[in-house]
Amino acid sequence: MLEEARLPELVTPSRTHGLVDILDRVLDKGLVIAGDIKINLANVELLTIQVRLLVCSIDKAQQIGLNWWRSDPRLTSTPVSGSLDAGVEDRLERIERQLAKLTEQRP
């Protein structure tokens, strides 16, 4: 019987491993992407879009002084004191009083 010749297995680098390394490095060091888009017509600027994107880990963001998510009431589970506008608070109190009067009037 003839034995089949076996070729050595080729070791190919995993793309996933490379992407993980790149992502880890980006999150550790940070990545800033900046760009401007301007639309002009007959030397008249019609539209300007400024794009600034920072990609980094939360630890890195806090290290460089970016922690806006801590005080954003939409992103925190505990409400920030004084987050309601005074006008909204007055309106809410008025609605609650009207509701109390309506429930008292019921037989």
Side-chain angles (χ1 to χ4, degrees):
M1 284 194 166
L2 295 174
E3 291 185 27
E4 292 183 18
R6 291 190 176 209
L7 296 174
E9 293 182 22
L10 297 176
V11 179
T12 59
S14 172
R15 287 184 59 107
T16 307
H17 183 68
L19 290 175
V20 169
D21 288 341
I22 292 171
L23 184 60
D24 184 48
R25 183 169 293 177
V26 165
L27 292 177
D28 183 45
K29 303 292 183 187
L31 172 71
V32 176
I33 299 172
D36 296 327
I37 300 170
K38 292 184 180 184
I39 299 175
N40 295 335
L41 180 64
N43 291 330
V44 176
E45 189 172 315
L46 299 175
L47 178 67
T48 299
I49 300 172
Q50 294 181 335
V51 178
R52 306 293 182 259
L53 175 66
L54 170 66
V55 179
C56 65
S57 67
I58 290 176
D59 293 335
K60 184 65 174 181
Q62 289 176 340
Q63 190 179 49
I64 62 175
L66 294 174
N67 59 358
W68 51 265
W69 62 88
R70 289 182 179 251
S71 60
D72 191 335
R74 294 175 300 240
L75 299 175
T76 57
S77 59
T78 56
V80 179
S81 61
S83 63
L84 286 179
D85 189 41
V88 173
E89 288 180 7
D90 293 339
R91 185 174 174 192
L92 182 59
E93 287 176 17
R94 190 177 70 238
I95 291 170
E96 288 174 346
R97 284 193 303 269
Q98 289 175 351
L99 182 59
K101 286 180 185 177
L102 287 173
T103 55
E104 289 173 0
Q105 291 176 357
R106 286 188 150 177

